[in-house]
Amino acid sequence: MANRKVKTLQRTKTGKKSEQTNGQASFHNTDRNTIMDRRKFIALASVSTAIALLPRPGRTGYTFSEADARARELVAKMTLDEKTFLMSGNRRNDISRHNKAGARYPNPNYGCPRLGIPPVRFMDGPAGVRFDYRATCFPAAIGRGASFDPELEQRVGEAIGYEGRALSATLFGGIVVNLLRHPRWGRAQETYGEDSYHLGVMGSAMVRGVAKYMMPTVKHFAGNSIENTRMFLNVRMSERVLREVYLPHFKACVDAGAACVMSAYNKLNGEYCSHNRYLLTEILKNEWGFDGFVMSDFGAVHSTVPAVMAGLDLEMPSDTYYAQRLAAKVREGVVPVEQVNESCVRIIRTMLRFGMFDAPELDLKRVAGKEHSELALESAEKSIVLLKNDRGLLPLDPAAIKKIALIGPFASELNLGGTSSSKLFPPYQVSPEQGIRKLAPNVEILMDEGKAPSRAGELAKKAELAIVFVGLTEKDENENRDRRSMTLSRAHETLINEVASANKNTIVVLNTGSALVTENWIDRVKSVLVVWYPGMEGGNAIARVIFGKVNPSAKLPVVWPRTQDQLQPFHCWAPEVEYDYFYGYRYMDKKALEPRFYFGYGLSYTTYNYSNLHLNKNRISRDGIIQVSVDITNVGKLPGEEIPQLYVGYKGSKIEHFVKDLKGFSRVALDPGQTKTVKFDLKAQDLAFYNEITRSWEVEPIKYIVYVGPSSNPAELLSAEFEISN
Ligand code: BGC
């Protein structure tokens, strides 16, 4: 619909051309007026905040065409300044005040008070809504990635969306799907893992869940996987690498209905992501048909014109380069008003579609209430990976034990992880000690913080077994800082070794946001559990796994090498990096290196047997689908859940491919003795590569190898071949 505004051009005091609309006074670009204008907008925006927060019964969730038409009507009524302020964060608003629920207001833009357009209200994640308020703290995303459970992730997303909305936020900014290219990335814990397919499945589940109550944002678009230099880093990559490795998971989230995409701080191929027209407009909006809006990471805009012309719709969290500066550029004729109109339509349309003009009455009691705490527990239980369990030391039977030594800094204090934008403040947290005492009330618990390893060793000698709680903290990995090393600190390694030499039944419980190199100690201990940063119910989840109330089922979403040298280099201080095709498990596959723990690896208290891998066809066309089935039997004594994984290899291709590529996974519950047939649909189109010459996706008519098994370890995979014909 055409913009129905009547436009006139006039000269301002500074002699520049200015747009005037519908007879309304325009804002002139003098300092004095600029300050006045901004104040006026801030004052009005506060009013609209109050209005927007009043529960207004009414319709939510317009259809696309209704929302589009309504948005265009509204935009046609807006003055230029109203439009450019709508496209700007409003830092001076009330973010330092507390709302009725006692939480600080989320970051708003200006909205448009005159027309009743409420501001968007941005709130971070990803372990829950990051209010300074008692919201549920779920496990870190990396742990939820280890659950390989999109159905559960969707429920977590719904709970997060509910809490955020109940606390007055409308835009959830906590869906991180950046590919974990190297485990030392400081924000590894915020994403789901290293595999694009897996990231896409988990991220879209979160998008679908959050979308019930809030507008889901996926971030940071794109190629953001180094912290130290993130503000100026230039990430270079070929078109093929971009299309096949760094973008498909974003596309999956867009297809799942993401409302907003946040542009990353770094540059991609020489251009800041927030100024990157190729990325934001050509690929995201034009090619993928994304109809939501693009927001900058906080402070990621460097200049007005390149950002707006690239397709960046909303500058956050301030109005540094948009607002009156953008209006001035329109008046100067540098930025066409259509570009601004388009951004406003996107913002308003998305708010209407997601029902953000209404304030539904949500029950604050559900925020970190029983239901969400139980969900946090379930999610934590399904995130714990059993890495090692010699002679079946775990699970423990509390009736058969008299004394346990709990050693280390994270035994009596739960390690929640989270840094800066991902740090949560839940109403309570259950420490491992509390969880263990609850399930083993008759067992004597000996405690030592582990500050002096030899003293801890002495204590460990007095117990039948020792559990050492060590790992990383936000000092080691955080937003702004990459990990310096792949190992635990020397202090933690020494502690493990002292305790292990004092007590042959030593179990290690690890907090970490991604892979660790464990060579200095792993052979000396009997059992190892990776609990990531397990959220506020962490202590209960850990205890329930230790005592066998829960059979561990999670798998590693990132390969754990034996040494850092087994992985591709990590240049976290360079101003420019080149990302090539091979990284992580794919890099190690190519070099035929054997990691300590394979991608997809994780033990259980029972044993599963894989058999009868079957393909329903041995040849399909380029748009065909092949059905893969496999039988999985629980041949152990306990019920459990297994995560079968499907990988594909390429045979006789004219180009270089990964040795194998994850293309499917599922989660299946099996009682002892039970067999289930698991089926995967594999589309020929999902095996396409990106042809840089024709600039299109192409499915090669070659042979493909299907691998199915409990991890990416070639020794454990069944395989079969099929062909795609011309
Ligand atoms: C982070 C984003 C976050 C934003 C707002 C930035 O520094 O990179 O992930 O959403 O801050 O807190």
Side-chain angles (χ1 to χ4, degrees):
M1 197 185 292
N3 182 355
R4 281 189 257 114
K5 268 187 322 191
V6 185
K7 284 187 242 160
T8 54
L9 285 177
Q10 67 168 38
R11 299 258 161 207
T12 65
K13 280 183 201 153
T14 51
K16 287 181 180 153
K17 278 183 190 165
S18 111
E19 188 200 47
Q20 237 191 1
T21 47
N22 292 347
Q24 306 219 13
S26 87
F27 296 100
H28 302 297
N29 198 16
T30 63
D31 284 343
R32 194 160 162 270
N33 281 336
T34 296
I35 294 161
M36 294 283 290
D37 300 340
R38 196 191 254 149
R39 280 201 198 126
K40 183 169 149 194
F41 267 88
I42 293 162
L44 285 167
S46 301
V47 174
S48 91
T49 297
I51 295 169
L53 290 176
L54 291 177
R56 272 188 297 165
R59 59 181 307 180
T60 52
Y62 286 65
T63 63
F64 180 83
S65 52
E66 284 170 345
D68 188 63
R70 180 83 188 110
R72 285 176 198 280
E73 275 170 30
L74 284 167
V75 172
K77 289 183 186 142
M78 291 167 80
T79 65
L80 175 61
D81 301 273
E82 283 171 336
K83 292 178 204 172
T84 59
F85 274 79
L86 180 80
M87 293 168 67
S88 308
N90 178 0
R91 201 157 215 165
R92 291 152 207 86
N93 201 339
D94 39 20
I95 48 173
S96 55
R97 290 197 294 119
H98 288 74
N99 65 15
K100 274 192 202 149
R104 262 168 216 259
Y105 282 116
N107 291 87
N109 68 344
Y110 282 90
C112 180
R114 185 177 66 86
L115 297 173
I117 301 170
V120 298
R121 305 201 138 274
F122 173 90
M123 185 45 66
D124 271 311
V129 272
R130 196 212 176 275
F131 280 93
D132 58 340
Y133 182 79
R134 40 179 196 85
T136 305
C137 179
F138 291 94
I142 192 76
R144 305 196 319 260
S147 76
F148 282 74
D149 192 339
E151 182 276 329
L152 171 61
E153 186 62 2
Q154 185 165 332
R155 285 189 281 131
V156 169
E158 255 180 62
I160 289 178
Y162 189 98
E163 296 197 356
R165 195 70 193 281
L167 292 169
S168 77
T170 55
L171 183 59
F172 179 60
I175 308 180
V176 179
V177 290
N178 288 116
L179 183 134
L180 180 44
R181 182 175 166 88
H182 196 284
R184 281 174 51 203
W185 178 35
R187 296 180 80 175
Q189 64 182 282
E190 292 187 52
T191 193
Y192 296 104
E194 72 168 74
D195 183 277
S196 174
Y197 171 79
H198 170 256
L199 276 166
V201 173
M202 299 304 292
S204 358
M206 173 56 66
V207 165
R208 283 193 297 272
V210 169
K212 283 210 165 165
Y213 300 101
M214 289 176 77
M215 296 184 285
T217 303
V218 291
K219 65 187 189 184
H220 310 80
F221 194 58
N224 176 186
S225 43
I226 290 180
E227 279 312 284
N228 294 344
T229 51
R230 68 175 178 164
M231 293 297 178
F232 54 87
L233 174 68
N234 182 25
V235 179
R236 284 195 294 118
M237 61 179 84
S238 71
E239 192 66 20
R240 181 173 179 219
V241 172
L242 177 69
R243 299 294 187 141
E244 289 186 31
V245 182
Y246 290 91
L247 293 189
H249 34 283
F250 280 100
K251 165 109 174 26
C253 292
V254 165
D255 291 345
C260 177
V261 170
M262 181 191 274
S263 59
Y265 284 125
N266 52 280
K267 294 175 190 158
L268 182 75
N269 290 330
E271 190 63 88
Y272 279 115
C273 288
S274 302
H275 299 185
N276 202 315
R277 186 170 169 85
Y278 182 57
L279 198 58
L280 305 186
T281 295
E282 289 178 34
I283 296 182
L284 177 66
K285 292 179 177 176
N286 296 350
E287 232 180 82
W288 296 356
F290 173 62
D291 55 37
F293 61 95
V294 180
M295 159 176 60
S296 69
D297 198 341
F298 282 29
V301 177
H302 302 265
S303 172
T304 307
V305 179
V308 73
M309 294 313 291
L312 185 100
D313 303 302
L314 175 60
E315 178 191 15
M316 284 294 264
S318 332
D319 51 18
T320 316
Y321 291 100
Y322 279 15
Q324 64 267 51
R325 281 200 191 181
L326 175 53
K329 290 293 173 197
V330 177
R331 291 190 178 103
E332 285 166 26
V334 178
V335 172
V337 73
E338 291 73 25
Q339 185 76 32
V340 165
N341 291 345
E342 164 71 12
S343 290
C344 292
V345 165
R346 283 176 175 271
I347 296 170
I348 299 170
R349 179 174 68 202
T350 310
M351 293 177 73
L352 286 165
R353 283 189 70 198
F354 282 83
M356 295 305 151
F357 275 55
D358 309 305
E361 282 187 63
L362 300 180
D363 184 0
L364 274 174
K365 287 199 205 79
R366 282 187 66 193
V367 177
K370 187 166 177 288
E371 192 194 338
H372 292 179
S373 301
E374 283 169 6
L375 189 57
L377 176 63
E378 180 186 351
S379 177
E381 289 170 354
K382 290 187 174 164
S383 76
I384 295 177
V385 181
L386 178 62
L387 277 190
K388 177 173 181 181
N389 198 18
D390 281 1
R391 302 204 193 141
L393 176 61
L394 290 172
L396 305 178
D397 174 4
I401 304 165
K402 291 200 181 66
K403 266 186 213 169
I404 305 183
L406 304 185
I407 292 165
F410 311 127
S412 55
E413 198 164 312
L414 180 67
N415 185 351
L416 276 184
T419 78
S420 309
S421 64
S422 66
K423 188 153 195 79
L424 262 72
F425 304 90
Y428 69 87
Q429 15 188 312
V430 182
S431 72
E433 179 194 353
Q434 287 168 324
I436 287 168
R437 284 190 192 274
K438 193 153 74 182
L439 291 190
N442 300 322
V443 174
E444 189 183 340
I445 308 283
L446 309 176
M447 299 292 301
D448 188 291
E449 260 187 298
K451 283 196 177 133
S454 55
R455 198 179 60 210
E458 288 308 311
L459 188 89
K461 279 187 193 152
K462 297 182 188 145
E464 289 139 274
L465 46 90
I467 313 181
V468 186
F469 295 86
V470 286
L472 307 181
T473 68
E474 68 177 295
K475 287 200 185 112
D476 306 298
E477 51 178 349
N478 66 40
E479 188 177 330
N480 284 317
R481 189 189 301 158
D482 298 303
R483 267 164 63 189
R484 289 207 184 90
S485 138
M486 287 274 312
T487 62
L488 288 174
S489 67
R490 194 170 295 163
H492 285 190
E493 290 195 334
T494 309
L495 180 64
I496 296 172
N497 284 328
E498 281 281 341
V499 173
S501 47
N503 190 321
K504 63 181 180 352
N505 291 322
T506 293
I507 298 159
V508 174
V509 175
L510 290 174
N511 287 118
T512 175
S514 70
L516 291 166
V517 164
T518 58
E519 299 308 295
N520 292 339
W521 54 269
I522 194 142
D523 290 334
R524 305 202 187 122
V525 303
K526 282 255 169 68
S527 303
V528 180
L529 289 169
V530 185
V531 302
W532 315 105
Y533 298 111
M536 69 190 198
E537 281 287 336
N540 282 332
I542 292 167
R544 284 167 62 76
V545 168
I546 287 177
F547 293 113
K549 299 263 181 217
V550 169
N551 190 349
S553 56
K555 306 268 187 168
L556 294 178
V558 52
V559 63
W560 285 42
R562 286 177 188 274
T563 62
Q564 183 168 245
D565 295 349
Q566 285 191 323
L567 286 176
Q568 76 288 350
F570 184 55
H571 298 299
C572 61
W573 287 110
E576 178 164 294
V577 288
E578 170 83 32
Y579 282 0
D580 61 8
Y581 202 51
F582 296 94
Y583 69 97
Y585 79 79
R586 292 163 164 97
Y587 180 88
M588 295 181 65
D589 267 357
K590 176 177 151 79
K591 301 216 158 199
L593 295 169
E594 199 186 314
R596 177 52 89 152
F597 300 110
Y598 281 90
F599 174 89
Y601 170 87
L603 296 171
S604 155
Y605 296 151
T606 189
T607 310
Y608 305 102
N609 188 38
Y610 284 66
S611 61
N612 297 330
L613 176 62
H614 176 74
L615 311 184
N616 70 339
K617 294 170 192 157
N618 51 23
R619 178 185 298 236
I620 55 172
S621 65
R622 281 178 166 153
D623 48 14
I625 297 182
I626 201 157
Q627 199 173 69
V628 179
S629 64
V630 70
D631 290 345
I632 307 176
T633 307
N634 181 346
V635 293
K637 295 197 177 67
L638 288 172
E641 292 190 10
E642 167 66 334
I643 299 167
Q645 298 149 47
L646 181 152
Y647 299 84
V648 173
Y650 308 75
K651 220 173 161 183
S653 169
K654 62 179 185 213
I655 51 161
E656 192 173 24
H657 278 281
F658 300 128
V659 173
K660 62 183 184 300
D661 222 358
L662 185 71
K663 292 289 176 191
F665 59 83
S666 81
R667 199 174 235 277
V668 48
L670 290 160
D671 285 328
Q674 192 180 15
T675 299
K676 280 187 185 165
T677 303
V678 177
K679 293 190 172 135
F680 299 93
D681 282 337
L682 186 61
K683 289 190 195 139
Q685 289 297 326
D686 292 341
L687 306 175
F689 77 98
Y690 191 81
N691 186 329
E692 291 184 337
I693 297 162
T694 60
R695 296 184 78 82
S696 61
W697 291 91
E698 206 174 287
V699 181
E700 275 189 299
I702 52 168
K703 284 204 169 129
Y704 294 83
I705 315 166
V706 170
Y707 302 98
V708 179
S711 80
S712 63
N713 180 354
E716 295 188 299
L717 291 166
L718 302 176
S719 68
E721 281 185 22
F722 74 98
E723 197 177 329
I724 294 184
S725 55
N726 247 327

